[in-house]
């Protein structure tokens, strides 16, 4: 707005259009938070103002504050202008500070609400993921156990869980159908073999009637055949059961082991996030009542930088940055530099960014501020761990789906 007034003033003087200058000043005064405008020439004489009845000398103007302070009702913005006709001059614009202070307080309250909403959203996402992934897999494990107990009419629920879990359940049911079909085929082969044995027994019986002298041999042959038939049936059933149990056992054990690790990581991270955010909200409330306006702005900027940090540094990189930050803090005579540098490095601060929090570290609340930085940074790390664990579960479900759809006569390698 100051630049617009300067430009309008120079153009009006160049074109000798004083009405356009009045128009620019009236336009600027349409801002309700602008109290008045005063224009001076190169002799520091007031040559124009809006409203026109403003009565200030230059000493009074220069005594008004140029920074936004809660204790002052006005602050001055000052700029220079130049005209070939009149030379250089100054523009003074007086603004009210009350609306800026109200806006700053509103923004700080909004930050507290945003952090609370992040905690609530993270908890709700974790609960939904646990319901849509872990519980359907537990139901699938129960179905496999029942099938292993010869309850062959049991099937996995294909309408429960996430789309990927439903696809796995559908493929699992298809696999059971194929196993049952294979078992029926083997039973049919056994039935045909039994018919063959019965036909042979009949022939042996007819031969016994005609060949009485070979009756003992025929009877022993029949007993051997019947015994072999029974043993074959027992062996066949045991083989089918062993193959079925081995396949299902390996599948269920592998799924339970692979899913348990990321689920445990999610639950652990959620517990840490809930604890950290509760403590962090307490810190924010205490800090918000303890700091002055300028330190509040520095604190808000630092919290924003921590939340926006997406980089994942290695241990060696973190140690190197800790060393550099500690040297920087020692040079600036910051107490507890060793602990402060470690926390700032862990939450993603560089040496350059550490310069923006020097005033906060010099305050009497520095320990409480650095602890809140640590809690906020750790919560970001926990959220990143939850995302990694969810990605691992997604990859596992995708691998299960691809494996269950595999239908080939050749040997394939799986991992």
């Amino acid at each position: 707005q100051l630049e617009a007034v300067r430009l309008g003033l120079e153009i009006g003087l160049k074109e000798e259009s004083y009405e356009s200058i009045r128009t620019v000043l009236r336009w600027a005064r349409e801002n309700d938070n602008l109290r008045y405008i005063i224009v001076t020439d190169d002799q520091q004489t007031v040559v124009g103002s809006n409203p026109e009845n403003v009565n200030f000398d230059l000493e009074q103007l220069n005594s008004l504050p140029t920074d936004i302070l809660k204790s002052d009702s006005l602050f001055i913005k000052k700029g220079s202008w130049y005209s070939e006709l009149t030379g250089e001059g100054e523009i003074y614009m007086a603004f009210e500070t009350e609306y800026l202070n109200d806006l700053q307080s509103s923004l700080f309250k909004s930050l507290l609400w945003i952090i609370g909403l992040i905690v609530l959203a993270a908890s709700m996402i974790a609960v939904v993921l646990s319901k849509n992934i872990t519980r359907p897999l537990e139901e699938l494990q129960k179905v496999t156990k029942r099938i292993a107990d010869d309850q062959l009419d049991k099937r996995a629920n294909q309408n429960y869980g996430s789309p990927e879990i439903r696809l796995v359940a559908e493929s699992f049911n298809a696999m059971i159908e194929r196993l049952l079909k294979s078992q029926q085929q083997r039973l049919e082969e056994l039935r045909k073999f039994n018919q063959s044995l019965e036909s042979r027994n009949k022939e042996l019986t007819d031969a016994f009637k005609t060949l009485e002298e070979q009756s003992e041999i025929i009877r022993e042959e029949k007993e051997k055949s019947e015994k072999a038939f029974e043993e074959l049936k027992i062996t066949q059933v045991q083989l089918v059961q062993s193959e079925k149990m081995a396949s299902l056992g390996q599948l269920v054990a592998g799924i339970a082991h692979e899913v348990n690790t990321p689920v445990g990581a999610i639950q652990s991270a959620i517990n840490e996030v809930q604890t950290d955010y509760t403590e962090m909200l307490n810190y924010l409330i205490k800090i918000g009542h303890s700091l002055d306006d300028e330190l509040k702005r520095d604190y808000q900027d630092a919290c924003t930088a921590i939340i926006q940090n997406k980089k994942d540094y290695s241990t060696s990189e973190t140690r190197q940055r800790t060393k550099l930050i500690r040297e920087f803090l020692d040079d600036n005579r910051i107490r507890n530099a060793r602990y402060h540098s470690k926390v700032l490095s862990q939450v993603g601060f560089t040496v350059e960014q550490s310069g923006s929090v020097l005033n906060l570290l010099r305050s009497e609340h520095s320990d409480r501020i650095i602890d809140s930085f640590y809690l906020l940074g750790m919560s970001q790390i926990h959220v990143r761990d939850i995302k990694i664990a969810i990605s691992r579960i997604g990859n596992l479900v995708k691998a299960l789906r691809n494996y269950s759809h595999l239908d080939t006569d050749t040997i394939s390698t799986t991992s």
Side-chain angles (χ1 to χ4, degrees):
Q1 193 168 10
L2 179 62
E3 180 65 16
V5 171
R6 182 196 66 78
L7 184 61
L9 183 62
E10 292 180 354
I11 293 175
L13 289 174
K14 183 176 182 180
E15 297 178 352
E16 298 184 0
S17 174
Y18 298 102
E19 181 59 32
S20 64
I21 295 176
R22 294 190 189 95
T23 301
V24 170
L25 296 180
R26 285 195 299 270
W27 166 81
R29 280 279 292 141
E30 290 179 359
N31 183 352
D32 295 335
N33 299 303
L34 178 62
R35 184 69 63 84
Y36 53 78
I37 304 173
I38 296 177
V39 181
T40 63
D41 58 14
D42 56 345
Q43 302 298 323
Q44 296 187 340
T45 302
V46 176
V47 297
S49 66
N50 190 302
E52 296 180 356
N53 59 356
V54 174
N55 185 17
F56 275 97
D57 57 28
L58 293 182
E59 183 176 354
Q60 289 177 310
L61 287 175
N62 292 324
S63 66
L64 291 177
T66 59
D67 295 325
I68 304 172
L69 301 176
K70 184 179 294 185
S71 58
D72 298 317
S73 61
L74 296 177
F75 68 97
I76 290 293
K77 284 296 181 181
K78 180 180 177 182
S80 300
W81 61 272
Y82 174 78
S83 172
E84 295 180 354
L85 296 176
T86 61
E88 296 182 349
E90 302 290 342
I91 302 173
Y92 298 84
M93 299 179 71
F95 292 89
E96 297 182 357
T97 60
E98 181 179 0
Y99 82 102
L100 291 177
N101 290 324
D102 293 341
L103 179 60
Q104 181 180 6
S105 176
S106 176
L107 290 175
F108 186 73
K109 293 179 181 178
S110 299
L111 177 62
L112 293 179
W113 276 102
I114 291 172
I115 293 176
L117 291 175
I118 291 174
V119 175
L120 179 61
S123 300
M124 293 179 64
I125 290 173
V127 171
V128 172
L129 288 175
S130 176
K131 180 178 179 181
N132 290 335
I133 296 177
T134 306
R135 292 183 182 176
L137 288 177
E138 291 176 352
E139 293 296 327
L140 182 60
Q141 183 179 9
K142 292 178 181 179
V143 172
T144 58
K145 183 178 180 181
R146 291 178 181 177
I147 293 176
D149 294 335
D150 285 335
Q151 299 181 22
L152 302 180
D153 58 332
K154 300 299 181 181
R155 296 292 183 273
N157 190 347
Q158 300 178 188
N159 300 316
Y160 182 52
S162 63
E164 291 80 3
I165 294 296
R166 291 199 294 269
L167 286 175
V168 171
E170 182 180 352
S171 301
F172 177 80
N173 290 338
M175 181 180 66
I176 295 301
E177 293 296 338
R178 290 195 295 269
L179 288 174
L180 292 177
K181 184 177 180 180
S182 175
Q183 186 178 25
Q184 291 294 335
Q185 292 176 349
R186 295 182 181 182
L187 290 176
E188 180 64 21
E189 292 175 358
L190 289 175
R191 186 185 64 79
K192 292 180 180 180
F193 182 71
N194 186 30
Q195 290 178 350
S196 176
L197 288 178
E198 291 177 355
S199 177
R200 183 176 180 184
N201 287 336
K202 184 177 180 181
E203 293 175 358
L204 290 173
T205 301
D206 294 338
F208 175 76
K209 292 179 181 179
T210 58
L211 301 171
E212 192 175 11
E213 65 276 6
Q214 297 181 358
S215 61
E216 186 63 25
I217 298 175
I218 294 174
R219 184 170 58 82
E220 292 177 358
E221 184 69 21
K222 179 181 178 182
E223 290 176 356
K224 291 179 181 181
S225 299
E226 291 176 350
K227 183 179 180 180
F229 175 67
E230 292 298 330
E231 291 177 352
L232 180 59
K233 288 197 296 183
I234 294 174
T235 302
Q236 198 75 11
V237 171
Q238 291 177 347
L239 178 60
V240 172
Q241 184 70 10
S242 297
E243 291 179 356
K244 179 176 65 177
M245 290 298 294
S247 299
L248 295 178
Q250 291 176 358
L251 176 63
V252 173
I255 293 174
H257 175 74
E258 292 297 331
V259 172
N260 186 58
T261 299
V263 168
I266 291 175
Q267 293 175 343
S268 176
I270 290 174
N271 293 335
E272 293 294 335
V273 168
Q274 290 176 337
T275 302
D276 291 348
Y277 274 125
T278 300
E279 295 182 12
M280 186 172 64
L281 287 174
N282 292 332
Y283 275 123
L284 286 175
I285 294 173
K286 293 177 182 179
I287 292 171
H289 291 294
S290 303
L291 302 180
D292 57 32
D293 294 337
E294 184 176 356
L295 290 181
K296 281 182 181 179
R297 289 194 298 272
D298 293 341
Y299 182 72
Q300 291 173 359
D301 293 339
C303 290
T304 302
I306 294 173
I307 294 174
Q308 294 177 348
N309 179 38
K310 304 299 182 182
K311 296 183 179 180
D312 187 11
Y313 298 99
S314 64
T315 304
S316 61
E317 290 175 334
T318 301
R319 286 199 300 266
Q320 181 65 24
R321 285 190 297 109
T322 301
K323 180 180 178 181
L324 296 175
I325 293 174
R326 182 179 178 182
E327 293 174 354
F328 174 74
L329 296 183
D330 286 335
D331 293 341
N332 285 273
R333 302 182 182 276
I334 301 298
R335 65 182 184 87
N336 295 333
R338 180 177 182 180
Y339 175 70
H340 292 348
S341 63
K342 182 178 180 181
V343 172
L344 292 175
S345 177
Q346 286 178 336
V347 301
F349 270 71
T350 62
V351 176
E352 292 76 11
Q353 291 175 317
S354 300
S356 64
V357 296
L358 286 178
N359 291 334
L360 294 172
L361 299 180
R362 291 191 180 104
S363 72
E364 59 180 334
H365 307 287
S366 61
D367 292 340
R368 182 180 295 169
I369 291 172
I370 206 68
D371 288 341
S372 70
F373 286 171
Y374 175 79
L375 291 174
L376 183 59
M378 289 302 100
S379 67
Q380 292 298 104
I381 293 176
H382 294 323
V383 171
R384 184 169 65 248
D385 291 341
I386 291 174
K387 292 180 179 179
I388 293 173
I390 291 172
S391 177
R392 289 186 60 188
I393 293 176
N395 292 334
L396 175 61
V397 171
K398 182 178 179 181
L400 285 173
R401 182 184 61 191
N402 294 336
Y403 176 69
S404 61
H405 286 169
L406 187 63
D407 187 10
T408 176
D409 293 335
T410 59
I411 297 177
S412 300
T413 301
T414 61
S415 58

